[in-house]
Amino acid sequence: MEYYDCFAASYANARAKFLKAATAAQGEVRSFLHPAKKAPDGGPLAIDVACFGDRKAPRQALFLSGTHGQEGFSGSAVQIGWLASGGAARLPAGVGVVLVHGLNPYGFAHATRTTENNVDLNRNFIDRDAGPAPANPHYETLHADLLIREWTDAENARIAGVLDRFAESKGRDVLFDTLARGQYQHQDGLMFGGKDREWSNRTLETIVAETLADAERVAFIDWHTGIGEYGKPFFLCFNDPAGPLFARACDWWGKENVDGVRPHGMERPNYTGLVFHGVQRFLGNRDMCGAVIEFGTRGVNMRRVLRLDQWLRRQHGLDPDVRATLQADMMDAFCPFDGQWRQDTLGYGLKLTDQALSGLAAW
């Protein structure tokens, strides 16, 4: 199996590869079609779900791709590679697996990190019944200055100056937290968590209810890209660091990889509304152990790419060649075209998947 057998050049091709591999592996496949949006070519958008192994077993795994649109190409490749390499046939007895492909199909198809409503889906899973959305007061002071007016070196230098001055005043860790934790006021801003639950959010709740009804213990991976050393995995475990589930994640993937890690060398932000948190809530009092697993690309320089993503969303009538050039840069940042990166991350992804499943079977 070569890496290019698993990676795809478009959402439609990634979806077709996943469905073909899931069917060949004799999975139970169901597709949740987006009720309102289409792909750029007019094709359907869907969250595709494939289930394997013992569907009634108390031990189940939930592995997701495409929470952030362009990052879906990497997570999709891992899911396809696991299927193509016979992963489903190797499942231990008493274990089931649920693969969720393309959780944010709009972003996946339209080459944007966010949903059809410009919502960062991985900040959308706050508990809206628990009170008002979390505040991010530092972001409020920065928002207007972070809106890039045109994509030029001068404008990017202006924003870099804004961020440098904030970091000098408040510290690098506070800046990272401010930009990454999530905000719920500005739809045209970074990490906007939305005014309401997105379609993908509600659909995932349905998927969890329908596929994990008998699960008592759940292994979880949400595949992402960006943070970490180039081509290497970086773990963000959101189980209680003092609890047994966090210790279990350390056993699965190595304590040195999970415990005390610092994204970009900084303190981990107080992320709000993560898919991880949402699935925990959907499961109720059942145990879930796992992590967001990133594959490193451009490190802290992803800030520039996130600005580019938001700027392109606001452009209408942009020269097609300019748009294509900038989108290629953005795509390379989220899922590098570099064959070595793709080969390495696919290999890591398959290994980490198997480690989680072995740990789940022994749990």
Side-chain angles (χ1 to χ4, degrees), residues 237-261:
C237 177
F238 295 97
N239 291 118
D240 177 2
L245 295 175
F246 189 91
R248 188 170 297 278
C250 290
D251 289 341
W252 292 357
W253 295 309
K255 183 179 175 66
E256 70 281 5
N257 297 319
V258 177
D259 192 8
V261 295

Side-chain angles (χ1 to χ4, degrees), residues 5 63 67 83 94 98 131 141 158-159 179-180 187 214 256 275 282 289 327-328:
D5 295 322
F63 301 147
T67 298
L83 292 170
V98 180
T141 69
R158 178 188 67 79
I159 291 178
L179 296 179
Q187 187 169 2
D214 295 307
E256 70 281 5
V275 173
F282 300 156
C289 172
Q327 282 186 331

Side-chain angles (χ1 to χ4, degrees), residues 121-243:
L121 189 59
N122 210 30
R123 305 295 184 275
N124 186 242
F125 285 77
I126 59 173
D127 185 352
R128 296 177 189 273
D129 295 329
N136 188 344
H138 284 312
Y139 185 86
E140 295 301 311
T141 69
L142 288 174
H143 172 70
D145 285 332
L146 294 183
L147 283 178
I148 192 160
R149 305 179 188 105
E150 53 185 339
W151 195 254
T152 63
D153 287 344
E155 263 291 86
N156 276 289
R158 178 188 67 79
I159 291 178
V162 170
L163 298 179
D164 287 344
R165 288 189 292 275
F166 184 94
E168 289 171 5
S169 171
K170 306 293 185 182
R172 293 172 66 245
D173 289 344
V174 175
L175 175 61
F176 187 28
D177 178 72
T178 298
L179 296 179
R181 69 156 60 189
Q183 56 87 18
Y184 298 85
Q185 298 298 318
H186 304 280
Q187 187 169 2
D188 58 351
L190 298 171
M191 308 294 178
F192 175 61
K195 300 292 187 182
D196 201 353
R197 296 177 66 189
E198 290 292 281
W199 170 79
S200 293
N201 180 327
R202 297 179 184 277
T203 303
L204 182 58
E205 183 174 14
T206 298
I207 292 167
V208 168
E210 293 184 357
T211 64
L212 300 178
D214 295 307
E216 298 173 9
R217 299 170 179 176
V218 176
F220 175 91
I221 298 176
D222 187 9
W223 297 110
H224 285 259
T225 65
I227 297 175
E229 184 180 347
Y230 186 79
K232 301 291 179 62
F234 188 91
F235 298 81
L236 292 167
C237 177
F238 295 97
N239 291 118
D240 177 2

Side-chain angles (χ1 to χ4, degrees), residues 62-80 82 98-103 122 220-226 232-235 253 275 291-295 334 345-356:
L62 178 66
F63 301 147
L64 301 96
S65 69
T67 298
H68 289 145
Q70 306 103 319
E71 300 173 34
F73 289 94
S74 175
S76 167
V78 173
Q79 292 176 325
I80 292 165
W82 182 76
V98 180
L99 299 182
V100 177
H101 183 270
L103 183 61
N122 210 30
F220 175 91
I221 298 176
D222 187 9
W223 297 110
H224 285 259
T225 65
K232 301 291 179 62
F234 188 91
F235 298 81
W253 295 309
V275 173
V292 171
I293 302 180
E294 304 252 356
F295 292 120
F334 284 108
T345 56
L346 176 60
Y348 281 123
L350 297 179
K351 179 181 178 181
L352 299 173
T353 298
D354 285 342
Q355 287 173 334

Side-chain angles (χ1 to χ4, degrees), residues 102-115:
L103 183 61
N104 170 15
Y106 179 90
F108 202 159
H110 288 264
T112 181
R113 188 173 185 271
T114 54
T115 70

